[in-house]
Amino acid sequence: MDLELRHLRCLVAIVDNGTFTDAAIELGISQAAVSRSLLALEQRLGVRLLHRTSRSITPTTAGVQVLARARQILAEIDVLVAEATSGHTRLRVGHAWSAFGRHTTEFQRRWAGAHPEIELQLIRTNTATGGLTEGLCDLAVVRTHLDFSRFGHVLLTQEPRYCVLPADDALARKRSLTLAQIADRTIVIDRRTGSTTVALWPEDARPRIELTHDVDDWLAAIASGRSVGVTPQATTTQYRRDGVVYKPLRDAPPVDVHLIWHREDPHPATQAAVDLLTTLYQESSSSIS
């Protein structure tokens, strides 16, 4: 069946405008071309789509069904075209749990000021590459161990780890903790995107684990009192919740924070994003020192 989008556009234009003449004006073609397109569509589908009188044009029963599907198909095509053509006017940055922690808002503000022509979108998606390999974003911030040879990447910083506890836990009164102090607890982790594994503890002193796949479920499990968590610093600023507290872990190794992108076909604004984020993290490091 040699069905074309122009046939569907003609059908929609005829119904919406009420006459073949007005449909032709909207589409920028001749009235005869509109008539030929409708006839071709009806022949290909094998059904009559419109009732035509000297006063009105109305869809047949089959026409109502075809019209609804035509509108849906054309809308999807418009979205496809918009997404393909807006690639350079929008920058999508993916992340699994936390974006850039306390730098997130400042990054958004500075980007809007420096690049008003490029819309910045932060997209949370719980995949190992922050949505990059799934085609959901142009850049991604990741805190997991990946094969970085597959991507363009830059190390933005190393974040200290924190223990996350129920607010009424006895350990919540301490200023900081060690890994050994929570080794007898159940640790809730996300194996797919989380930065925490039992390898943080010695083989003979590893905690029990509970699995989760979402930051909100993770927080709920901790607040309930049945488990505790270990997380990079960014989580402490982006996910403040009643019922949980964050305490620094003195002896836990830091978490590498990488920005990654497609090596072969990077977004044109990739370097601008790298430069801005590098500046933000350098400023933060300077203020701390």
Side-chain angles (χ1 to χ4, degrees):
M1 182 179 292
D2 194 15
L3 186 64
E4 300 179 19
L5 289 178
R6 61 187 178 88
H7 298 143
L8 301 181
R9 294 193 189 280
C10 275
L11 174 64
V12 172
I14 293 167
V15 174
D16 286 350
N17 288 278
T19 70
F20 280 63
T21 300
D22 290 338
I25 293 173
E26 177 182 305
L27 296 172
I29 59 178
S30 68
Q31 183 175 331
V34 171
S35 298
R36 287 194 299 271
S37 289
L38 176 64
L39 179 60
L41 180 59
E42 290 179 327
Q43 289 177 339
R44 282 162 173 75
L45 297 179
V47 293
R48 187 172 183 179
L49 299 175
L50 298 178
H51 290 302
R52 285 158 277 183
T53 71
S54 58
R55 294 185 178 182
S56 66
I57 297 175
T58 58
T60 63
T61 300
V64 170
Q65 296 176 340
V66 173
L67 182 65
R69 290 290 294 147
R71 292 188 190 280
Q72 182 179 354
I73 291 169
L74 293 173
E76 291 174 354
I77 291 296
D78 288 343
V79 170
L80 184 151
V81 172
E83 289 183 348
T85 57
S86 67
H88 295 177
T89 60
R90 177 187 60 192
L91 180 66
R92 302 167 300 168
V93 181
H95 61 96
W97 281 29
S98 305
F100 305 106
R102 60 193 179 91
H103 301 298
T104 301
T105 299
E106 186 63 16
F107 175 59
Q108 292 172 303
R109 289 176 176 172
R110 292 197 191 183
W111 184 269
H115 306 281
E117 75 286 0
I118 304 176
E119 177 190 3
L120 177 66
Q121 294 182 354
L122 298 184
I123 300 172
R124 194 182 85 169
T125 176
N126 207 39
T127 68
T129 62
L132 186 67
T133 57
E134 291 77 16
L136 301 175
C137 59
D138 307 299
L139 305 170
V141 55
V142 296
R143 294 172 172 84
T144 53
H145 295 290
L146 297 174
D147 177 10
F148 289 108
S149 65
R150 300 163 50 199
F151 310 102
H153 67 98
V154 63
L155 176 65
L156 294 175
T157 191
Q158 290 184 312
E159 292 179 344
R161 297 181 197 255
Y162 281 69
C163 179
V164 196
L165 302 153
D168 59 355
D169 192 289
L171 292 178
R173 295 193 294 269
K174 296 185 176 293
R175 294 185 62 181
S176 62
L177 298 171
T178 65
L179 289 169
Q181 286 177 297
I182 58 173
D184 62 343
R185 304 296 184 88
T186 297
I187 310 295
V188 59
I189 66 174
D190 181 350
R191 281 180 172 165
R192 188 166 46 177
T193 63
S195 57
T196 302
T197 72
V198 293
L200 290 172
W201 290 266
E203 286 190 21
D204 59 348
R206 287 179 173 173
R208 301 177 300 276
I209 65 170
E210 175 183 342
L211 299 180
T212 188
H213 302 293
D214 180 82
V215 64
D216 292 310
D217 292 341
W218 179 78
L219 287 165
I222 296 169
S224 73
R226 70 176 186 264
S227 56
V228 302
V230 174
T231 192
Q233 185 181 42
T235 310
T236 70
T237 58
Q238 290 198 234
Y239 294 100
R240 297 188 182 276
R241 293 289 192 278
D242 291 337
V244 302
V245 295
Y246 296 92
K247 298 294 178 177
L249 279 168
R250 298 193 299 273
D251 59 347
V255 176
D256 290 344
V257 182
H258 281 90
L259 188 69
I260 63 174
W261 57 89
H262 295 293
R263 183 186 298 276
E264 301 301 327
D265 186 26
H267 189 286
T270 295
Q271 191 58 50
V274 170
D275 292 344
L276 177 53
L277 286 165
T278 301
T279 297
L280 283 173
Y281 279 101
Q282 287 177 344
E283 290 176 355
S284 174
S285 178
S286 298
S287 64
I288 293 175
S289 60

